[in-house]
Amino acid sequence: MKSTAERLENALAALADRTRLRLLNLMSDGEVCVCFFVEVLDQPQPKISRHLGFLRHAGLVTARREGKWMHYSIAMPEHPTVRRIFQQTLAALGADPEMQRDRSALKKACCSSRAPDVIKRAPKPAAAV
């Protein structure tokens, strides 16, 4: 079992990167497909996936596969001290103007009538025979 110090170290390391903070901010309203992270943050998919893997390893997000795409959502830490720090971090992100712009861009991407270019270029599933 990990000590409090080890849990804090993992969580704080995960929170010590601006891209990871932006990803967490985008998940604050619920599950998000990796394709939308790529579009909103304008970063390559491997970079986004690497940061999401770091957050998963720290226990701050969970992932679910749907076909080719991975969907990520926030996982609230069980340890009370880590949970409190994480909640305060999410609240601070919600009040930040840059983070609010990211969430607005996500809403436009997710709710637009067009699919993101990443999805349009995705391979089509093989037809059932």
Side-chain angles (χ1 to χ4, degrees):
M1 180 168 236
K2 289 184 179 181
S3 69
T4 297
E6 289 173 309
R7 291 172 193 235
L8 282 170
E9 179 182 18
N10 288 340
L12 293 174
L15 297 174
D17 181 89
R18 187 166 168 256
T19 299
R20 290 192 289 270
L21 291 173
R22 291 178 76 193
L23 291 166
L24 289 167
N25 171 62
L26 291 173
M27 288 180 268
S28 63
D29 290 331
E31 184 178 76
V32 179
C33 177
V34 72
C35 63
F36 291 112
F37 292 133
V38 171
E39 180 175 345
V40 171
L41 300 183
D42 194 28
Q43 298 289 325
Q45 184 271 325
K47 178 180 179 179
I48 297 293
S49 292
R50 185 178 70 248
H51 283 292
L52 289 165
F54 200 101
L55 291 168
R56 279 180 73 185
H57 179 73
L60 301 179
V61 301
T62 59
R64 168 184 77 77
R65 180 176 294 282
E66 185 175 306
K68 178 184 177 202
W69 299 104
M70 294 295 289
H71 299 260
Y72 292 86
S73 58
I74 289 176
M76 205 48 66
E78 291 182 22
H79 191 280
T81 303
V82 176
R83 181 176 42 246
R84 189 168 44 255
I85 290 169
F86 189 54
Q87 289 171 327
Q88 290 173 342
T89 300
L90 293 175
L93 293 175
D96 181 86
E98 177 189 10
M99 299 297 171
Q100 291 171 354
R101 283 190 298 275
D102 280 353
R103 282 196 307 280
S104 291
L106 177 66
K107 286 179 185 172
K108 289 176 187 169
C110 288
C111 300
S112 68
S113 59
R114 67 167 184 81
D117 291 335
V118 174
I119 293 177
K120 284 191 243 178
R121 291 190 311 261
K124 304 288 184 244
V129 180

